[in-house]
Amino acid sequence: YLPSNTTWDPDVLTGFGGSISWKPKGVNDDYIAFSEASNGTDFWHIDYNGELWISNDYQFADLNMYGGAPWHPYRQHIKTLKIENGVYRIGNLSFYELTKLQKADLGNVTQIGNYAFEYCSALTDVEMGDSVNSIGKCAFYGCTALEEVYIPYVPNLQVSDYAFGNCTNLRKACI
């Protein structure tokens, strides 16, 4: 469901992988927020434990504004992120300023977009599969709680400028 004061432009919704219908509160009380395709397939949901789960049917769009992701209105509830295997690319600004996010399991994502996790200030644990080959500009910029990051070795790995910039507690990065 959406807060009563929130509206969504249909042109914005189609940029998130197809038509999305929002379920009103009471239809599925297992989730704070939930979205699905017109065929009933889950795209993503946020449960009451604070996990944002993204299905392998979800296609990330590159956002051109901060706070444009459909889960952004619920950012104060999101503590963990689980991306299913089969999602290969995280779009620009997708998880921008999820300040309560502590853990992110990226499955077998190959590309992390620009500013994807920028200012996720509580993020301490990022699990990257052995398929990540591109980390975008400022992807983890300002993740001040991040102390250690392990990036599995991939030939021709591209890590863009400031990918881990202003991560003031980052002490160890292993590739």
Side-chain angles (χ1 to χ4, degrees), residues 129-163:
D130 58 5
S131 52
V132 171
N133 60 34
S134 174
I135 300 174
K137 179 180 178 181
C138 299
F140 293 93
Y141 187 93
C143 294
T144 55
L146 194 58
E147 294 180 4
E148 190 171 303
V149 65
Y150 173 75
I151 305 167
Y153 173 76
V154 175
N156 302 316
L157 172 68
Q158 295 179 349
V159 180
S160 297
D161 293 341
Y162 303 102

Side-chain angles (χ1 to χ4, degrees), residues 8-42:
W8 287 83
D9 181 324
D11 293 333
V12 173
L13 289 177
T14 59
F16 293 109
S19 67
I20 298 173
S21 58
W22 296 88
K23 293 198 173 196
K25 185 174 175 140
V27 172
N28 189 334
D29 283 332
D30 293 333
Y31 308 121
I32 293 170
F34 182 96
S35 100
E36 65 180 16
S38 57
N39 67 0
T41 305
D42 280 1

Side-chain angles (χ1 to χ4, degrees), residues 4-73:
S4 60
N5 63 346
T6 303
T7 58
W8 287 83
D9 181 324
D11 293 333
V12 173
L13 289 177
T14 59
F16 293 109
S19 67
I20 298 173
S21 58
W22 296 88
K23 293 198 173 196
K25 185 174 175 140
V27 172
N28 189 334
D29 283 332
D30 293 333
Y31 308 121
I32 293 170
F34 182 96
S35 100
E36 65 180 16
S38 57
N39 67 0
T41 305
D42 280 1
F43 274 139
W44 61 269
H45 66 250
I46 303 168
D47 68 22
Y48 282 97
N49 293 319
E51 180 178 81
L52 169 58
W53 172 85
I54 298 176
S55 95
N56 59 11
D57 292 318
Y58 189 80
Q59 300 297 315
F60 282 92
D62 280 329
L63 303 175
N64 58 9
M65 63 180 190
Y66 296 106
W71 43 79
H72 199 262

Side-chain angles (χ1 to χ4, degrees), residues 45-158:
H45 66 250
I46 303 168
D47 68 22
Y48 282 97
N49 293 319
E51 180 178 81
L52 169 58
W53 172 85
I54 298 176
S55 95
N56 59 11
D57 292 318
Y58 189 80
Q59 300 297 315
F60 282 92
D62 280 329
L63 303 175
N64 58 9
M65 63 180 190
Y66 296 106
W71 43 79
H72 199 262
Y74 306 99
R75 66 189 174 279
Q76 72 276 11
H77 300 288
I78 301 171
K79 297 176 187 168
T80 61
L81 168 66
K82 169 68 175 146
I83 299 177
E84 278 197 337
N85 287 338
V87 175
Y88 298 106
R89 182 177 177 283
I90 296 173
N92 298 344
L93 296 165
S94 292
F95 304 105
Y96 169 80
E97 206 172 53
L98 297 185
T99 58
K100 305 288 186 193
L101 181 66
Q102 299 168 3
K103 180 178 181 179
D105 179 350
L106 306 185
N108 62 359
V109 163
T110 59
Q111 297 177 338
I112 301 170
N114 299 333
Y115 313 99
F117 291 90
E118 185 177 29
Y119 298 120
C120 291
S121 55
L123 186 62
T124 59
D125 186 8
V126 179
E127 294 179 25
M128 295 183 206
D130 58 5
S131 52
V132 171
N133 60 34
S134 174
I135 300 174
K137 179 180 178 181
C138 299
F140 293 93
Y141 187 93
C143 294
T144 55
L146 194 58
E147 294 180 4
E148 190 171 303
V149 65
Y150 173 75
I151 305 167
Y153 173 76
V154 175
N156 302 316
L157 172 68
Q158 295 179 349

